[in-house]
Amino acid sequence: MERFTLIRNARLDQRTTFRVPARAAWLADVWKSSALPPLLAETAAGERPLLLLGDGSNILFTRDFEGLVIHLATRGIEILADDGQQATVRSAAGENWDGFVRWTLAHGFSGLENLILIPGTVGAAPIQNIGAYGAEVREFVQAVEAFDIIEQRFTRLSNAACEFAYRDSLFKRRPQRYIVTAVEFLLHRQRPMQLAYSGVRRQLDVMGINRPTPTDLGRAIECLRRGKLPDPTVIGNAGSFFKNPVIPIEHLKLLQRAHPDVPYHAHDHRACKLSAAWLIEACGFKGMREGDAGVADTHALVLVNYGGADGAQVWALAERIRNTVADRFGVSLEPEPLVI
Ligand code: EPU
């Protein structure tokens, strides 16, 4: 099998979950990581912008991309070490994330069930440090394998070297340097479950489960997600469009005078995290629609493409939301997906 295929002036419409029209000057589908050095040489990649695309579930194209888009289609999950209690499991970057979570549950590992059903690939998971229902992937990552474009060699970064933060990592900040090729996870067979996130226990009650297994918890979270987040295979979207903003405690106190019910979480001793969805809903955007771009009616943090919107229209709506929230609350919302 060819190790990579290269298309010039490629359409990306079906390559992202927003399904907006866009083209890339070059698009490479890579079937084996070892194809990266020859691919980068053949396309003179050092001289053009580079973009890594997984399942395209966290990106919005507002225009064409003048560089090389690399889609890693590598496959393979293997157990590298296993002492009966914990194991190191390695997955190729191109594996589907949800499929990987289900593989770990089927093999008796716990922990990733809170992250079930998140769209995207395994390789993309550490880049934006995916998180949901009280867990973040950084808690399970032992190391990330990547191709270092500057040093022209394959490398392995420990968890600490990945500089993980809320929806952020070294890889997100240095997209022209690293191509994530595989992720090594440290997984346990017995691990305390994370049930604290709002709504989780209630959902388990509804399902009649009072002593959940990790698989039960995964099923409960699946129900919660399906109830709130529009399915990207049905309606174009990229999950949360904004990060939850972190603001100083003094700012929160001012906000609470006018809005005593504003929801927040502690962040550190000087700052707290607000709910972007609440701010957006309070400004009246939930469920609104401008042409084919809109805000989901089940969750105010999710922008959607009802079919015919282009990226510029989605982005125009996002800008309107940002400006309105900034005017009304003095809070600045940052996009969560990559916006080109
Ligand atoms: N809320 C509203 N209106 C809404 C939705 C939510 O006011 O339409 C308020 C409610 O007060 C609710 C609070 O927002 O209690 C939190 O809502 P939710 O539990 O849905 O979580 P979120 O903070 O909006 C984050 C992640 C999601 C993740 C959920 C569940 C970010 C940017 N988003 O959303 O991740 O699934 O928690 O853990 O951190 C993603 O990153 O793409 C994503 C979907």
Side-chain angles (χ1 to χ4, degrees), residues 58 128 131-134 166-167 197-198 225 228-229 238-244 263 265 273-279 281 286 297-302 336:
N58 201 48
Q128 64 142 346
Y133 296 94
Y166 169 55
R167 294 296 191 280
Y197 198 88
S198 130
R225 288 188 70 96
K228 271 199 198 172
L229 298 168
S240 300
F241 197 87
F242 297 103
K243 293 189 198 181
N244 284 326
H265 298 281
K273 204 192 257 181
L274 296 184
S275 156
W278 187 90
L279 300 171
E281 184 169 348
K286 188 169 177 174
D297 51 10
T298 47
H299 203 300
L301 203 43
V302 183
E336 200 256 312

Side-chain angles (χ1 to χ4, degrees), residues 105-119:
L105 290 171
H107 284 74
F109 298 111
S110 59
L112 298 183
E113 58 275 9
N114 296 62
L115 305 178
I116 203 162
L117 216 63
I118 295 183

Side-chain angles (χ1 to χ4, degrees), residues 13-335:
D13 311 22
Q14 298 304 320
R15 296 277 185 153
T16 71
T17 58
F18 255 126
R19 288 191 289 282
V20 293
R23 284 179 178 270
W26 302 71
L27 170 65
D29 286 300
V30 174
W31 313 98
K32 281 217 182 307
S33 311
S34 57
L36 287 171
L39 167 68
L40 297 174
E42 183 176 325
T43 54
E47 292 152 34
R48 62 181 92 242
L50 194 70
L51 180 69
L52 208 55
L53 196 66
D55 288 343
S57 56
N58 201 48
I59 190 163
L60 175 67
F61 285 98
T62 63
R63 56 168 172 79
D64 293 342
F65 185 72
E66 297 307 323
L68 168 66
V69 173
I70 296 180
H71 170 248
L72 278 181
T74 54
R75 295 281 186 274
I77 302 173
E78 54 185 324
I79 298 178
L80 299 183
D82 188 352
D83 68 6
Q85 289 177 346
Q86 62 176 45
T88 301
V89 179
R90 178 182 184 276
S91 170
E95 287 285 343
N96 172 264
W97 172 260
D98 182 58
F100 175 68
V101 170
R102 288 169 204 270
W103 182 98
T104 64
L105 290 171
H107 284 74
F109 298 111
S110 59
L112 298 183
E113 58 275 9
N114 296 62
L115 305 178
I116 203 162
L117 216 63
I118 295 183
T121 59
V122 170
I127 298 178
Q128 64 142 346
N129 181 25
I130 57 171
Y133 296 94
E136 281 186 334
V137 78
R138 67 164 151 193
E139 299 161 50
F140 307 93
V141 172
Q142 181 166 315
V144 172
E145 297 173 25
F147 185 72
D148 182 333
I149 297 165
I150 292 176
E151 304 261 323
Q152 283 292 307
R153 63 182 174 88
F154 288 93
T155 181
R156 181 177 179 277
L157 292 100
S158 68
N159 180 300
C162 297
E163 297 174 17
F164 290 121
Y166 169 55
R167 294 296 191 280
D168 196 31
S169 73
L170 173 69
F171 312 108
K172 193 164 176 180
R173 291 191 294 274
R174 302 291 306 276
Q176 303 299 318
R177 172 143 192 194
Y178 296 105
I179 300 174
V180 173
T181 54
V183 185
E184 294 170 26
F185 298 87
L186 183 63
L187 300 175
H188 292 79
R189 290 206 161 75
Q190 301 281 341
R191 189 179 190 275
M193 273 180 282
Q194 174 59 265
L195 301 164
Y197 198 88
S198 130
V200 170
R201 284 182 204 276
R202 206 176 328 126
Q203 179 62 36
L204 286 165
D205 284 347
V206 169
M207 293 162 62
I209 295 167
N210 49 33
R211 293 185 59 200
T213 63
T215 301
D216 294 331
L217 176 55
R219 279 175 41 229
I221 285 171
E222 236 183 301
C223 289
L224 290 172
R225 288 188 70 96
R226 288 194 198 279
K228 271 199 198 172
L229 298 168
D231 181 348
T233 63
V234 179
I235 176 162
N237 77 86
S240 300
F241 197 87
F242 297 103
K243 293 189 198 181
N244 284 326
V246 174
I247 61 164
I249 303 278
E250 299 79 62
H251 188 167
L252 174 70
K253 287 186 177 148
L254 285 176
L255 275 178
Q256 281 174 323
R257 281 194 213 153
H259 311 277
D261 53 341
V262 60
Y264 66 93
H265 298 281
H267 182 70
D268 57 32
H269 63 287
R270 278 175 311 181
C272 64
K273 204 192 257 181
L274 296 184
S275 156
W278 187 90
L279 300 171
I280 295 167
E281 184 169 348
C283 291
F285 284 105
K286 188 169 177 174
M288 74 89 71
R289 184 169 172 168
E290 272 181 7
D292 263 1
V295 178
D297 51 10
T298 47
H299 203 300
L301 203 43
V302 183
L303 299 195
V304 294
N305 173 12
Y306 285 104
D310 64 20
Q313 289 166 325
V314 175
W315 182 240
L317 175 59
E319 290 272 288
R320 239 183 87 198
I321 294 172
R322 276 175 91 177
N323 293 336
T324 309
V325 168
D327 286 349
R328 174 129 181 235
F329 297 106
V331 174
S332 154
L333 293 183
E334 297 303 325

